[in-house]
Amino acid sequence: MATLRERQLHRERALTALYEATEGNRLLGMTGRKLRDDWRVPEEDLAAACTYLVGEGLITVD
């Protein structure tokens, strides 16, 4: 599992990647698989980052 600083960076990178992929349009989406492949981080770190961002109300997950 990542350190606290690494987790913070993962969250920031996830938000940036999602924003860029959707061009800021909340109606557009991105699959977790594409995010993981583009981002190249361990799946558990991606899941942890997304779980945190969902909890903060910054992203939604289907």
Side-chain angles (χ1 to χ4, degrees):
M1 188 52 107
T3 66
L4 175 60
R5 181 66 183 134
E6 288 171 330
R7 289 192 309 262
Q8 290 169 333
L9 288 171
H10 291 166
R11 295 171 196 159
E12 182 179 318
R13 288 177 63 198
L15 273 178
T16 300
L18 289 167
Y19 186 81
E20 288 174 356
T22 62
E23 298 175 348
N25 184 344
R26 292 185 73 129
L27 299 178
L28 297 177
M30 179 179 202
T31 66
R33 180 177 302 196
K34 177 159 177 39
L35 182 60
R36 184 195 66 219
D37 292 347
D38 290 352
W39 193 20
R40 295 186 180 149
V41 297
E43 194 164 332
E44 69 259 5
D45 291 335
L46 174 63
C50 290
T51 299
Y52 176 86
L53 295 171
V54 166
E56 293 295 309
L58 297 172
I59 66 171
T60 57
V61 176
D62 291 338

